[in-house]
Amino acid sequence: MREVKLPAMLKQLVDDSEYHGSRKRVSTELGITPAALSQYINGQTTPSLDKLLAMTELFNVSLDFLVFGPDTIAGHGDTLEYGRFTRYVEAGMASYQADIAAQSAFVTKVGEILAQHIDTAARAASRRPFTLRGMLDKEQAIEIERYSEESTILTLDLADDLVQVDSDVEQSVTAGNFLAVVAENLALGRRYHFVLPPDMQDRDALVHQYRTLLQSRNLTAGDLDRCRFSVAMDTFYVGCCLFRLDTTSMRRRSPVLYRFVEEFITPDNHIGFIEPTSSTPAYFLLDLPRRQLAARVLHRLTPQP
């Protein structure tokens, strides 16, 4: 059991502190009588806990130091320095423990938020069609198109761009997800070329509706001029999209998607994929030989200006 050294430590602190042995000043600061202070110093009575705490505050020492003294007492000056040091260590430890508690609470909050986001992402992913390597779902195809600086689209219809809406008066159309991306890209000064089949029903009316919807998004005449529609010179049965990508932006803003399709991007930043068919809802990415073949077929089908 440690030896209680309160009387001796209190005497040293009174004599060697800034009070220079003035017991009257010390007793006044502590709110006790000089006689009571003398009794504490002589070991005749023991101060209450609140008085002990008042002493630690007055002399700027720890309670442990006041009651039990330092491990080694080399002199009064050393004793006071030790007291200040222990107070500093205790304060540092308290601050460190508070920081640990705050950090732990922060990590817990981050974990809760991540768990919520993971759950939300898992639910969203479960609603999207299953795809394998070299395949895209609709959301991924839309995201890739956002980074296309020049787009050539050989399409059998415009169903993903023009959505039919039944109103009380007549049937009308509204913009689909892809048309919204087209409008955003045109506003950025990018170019589009749609190649449509020669036997497409209501082709001219659909093109007019397409341009009208683009115009409703506050695009300028110059923006609309960068969106060209052509009729293929022969019938085709599979649609495809060829894009020239802004890969710098894609790497920075969509790094996960970029890594997923990176092997299908050519050295000159082109990428291509086949549009879904009625039997296959996925978009098939084109490797380099097939992308080159698609480009040759597209060149043959497209009337030259």
Side-chain angles (χ1 to χ4, degrees), residues 199-209:
D199 55 351
M200 182 178 183
Q201 294 184 354
D202 301 322
R203 183 181 59 247
D204 293 341
L206 291 173
V207 170
H208 176 74
Q209 290 174 335

Side-chain angles (χ1 to χ4, degrees), residues 29 34 72 79 107 139 141 158 160 195 254 266 286 298 301 305:
E29 293 288 341
T72 302
T79 297
V107 171
E139 298 300 324
L158 297 172
D160 284 331
V195 181
S254 299
T266 65
L286 299 172
L298 185 62
L301 290 174

Side-chain angles (χ1 to χ4, degrees), residues 4 6-7 36 39-40 43-49 51-52 55 67:
V4 175
L6 175 62
Q39 290 175 351
Y40 297 157
Q44 295 171 334
T45 58
T46 302
S48 62
L49 179 59
K51 294 303 179 185
L52 286 171
M55 292 174 189
V67 175

Side-chain angles (χ1 to χ4, degrees), residues 239-256:
C240 70
C241 301
L242 301 179
F243 299 144
R244 178 169 57 82
L245 298 176
D246 176 3
T247 54
T248 300
S249 295
M250 189 177 183
R251 277 196 301 266
R252 184 174 67 253
R253 298 176 185 173
S254 299
V256 175

Side-chain angles (χ1 to χ4, degrees), residues 5-20:
K5 300 178 181 179
L6 175 62
M9 294 309 304
L10 184 54
K11 183 179 186 303
Q12 286 185 3
L13 291 170
V14 171
D15 292 342
D16 295 336
S17 68
E18 61 185 80
Y19 298 97
H20 304 295

Side-chain angles (χ1 to χ4, degrees), residues 48-261:
S48 62
L49 179 59
D50 62 328
K51 294 303 179 185
L52 286 171
L53 294 176
M55 292 174 189
T56 62
E57 292 294 329
L58 181 64
F59 297 115
N60 193 30
V61 296
S62 68
L63 183 60
D64 183 86
F65 177 82
L66 177 65
V67 175
F68 299 108
D71 292 336
T72 302
I73 302 178
H76 298 325
D78 292 339
T79 297
L80 291 175
E81 288 301 319
Y82 179 85
R84 296 190 185 97
F85 175 74
T86 55
R87 292 280 288 181
Y88 171 77
V89 171
E90 288 178 351
M93 287 299 296
S95 176
Y96 177 69
Q97 290 170 347
D99 287 344
I100 291 177
Q103 183 69 15
S104 177
F106 177 77
V107 171
T108 299
K109 289 181 180 178
V110 170
E112 292 175 352
I113 293 172
L114 285 175
Q116 293 173 358
H117 282 290
I118 290 172
D119 182 65
T120 301
R123 291 176 184 273
S126 68
R127 293 191 294 268
R128 289 165 59 170
F130 177 74
T131 56
L132 299 172
R133 175 180 171 275
M135 298 167 60
L136 303 172
D137 62 29
K138 185 175 181 178
E139 298 300 324
Q140 291 171 315
I142 289 174
E143 187 67 12
I144 287 177
E145 188 169 337
R146 292 186 190 279
Y147 298 102
S148 177
E149 296 182 317
E150 186 171 353
S151 308
T152 302
I153 300 173
L154 183 74
T155 183
L156 293 169
D157 58 48
L158 297 172
D160 284 331
D161 297 71
L162 300 175
V163 179
Q164 300 295 325
V165 177
D166 290 326
S167 66
D168 295 336
V169 181
E170 60 181 2
Q171 190 176 59
S172 60
V173 296
T174 187
N177 293 329
F178 281 98
L179 189 142
V181 176
V182 172
E184 292 171 5
N185 281 341
L186 290 173
L188 293 173
R190 297 171 174 177
R191 295 185 175 277
Y192 273 87
H193 183 193
F194 290 90
V195 181
L196 307 177
D199 55 351
M200 182 178 183
Q201 294 184 354
D202 301 322
R203 183 181 59 247
D204 293 341
L206 291 173
V207 170
H208 176 74
Q209 290 174 335
Y210 203 107
R211 289 187 174 278
T212 299
L213 287 173
L214 288 176
Q215 193 171 19
S216 69
R217 293 177 174 258
N218 299 321
L219 295 179
T220 66
D223 295 333
L224 294 175
D225 286 343
R226 288 193 297 276
C227 183
R228 185 161 62 97
F229 290 86
S230 296
V231 179
M233 300 179 66
D234 197 358
T235 301
F236 58 90
Y237 302 98
V238 177
C240 70
C241 301
L242 301 179
F243 299 144
R244 178 169 57 82
L245 298 176
D246 176 3
T247 54
T248 300
S249 295
M250 189 177 183
R251 277 196 301 266
R252 184 174 67 253
R253 298 176 185 173
S254 299
V256 175
L257 179 60
Y258 178 80
R259 287 194 295 270
F260 184 70
V261 301

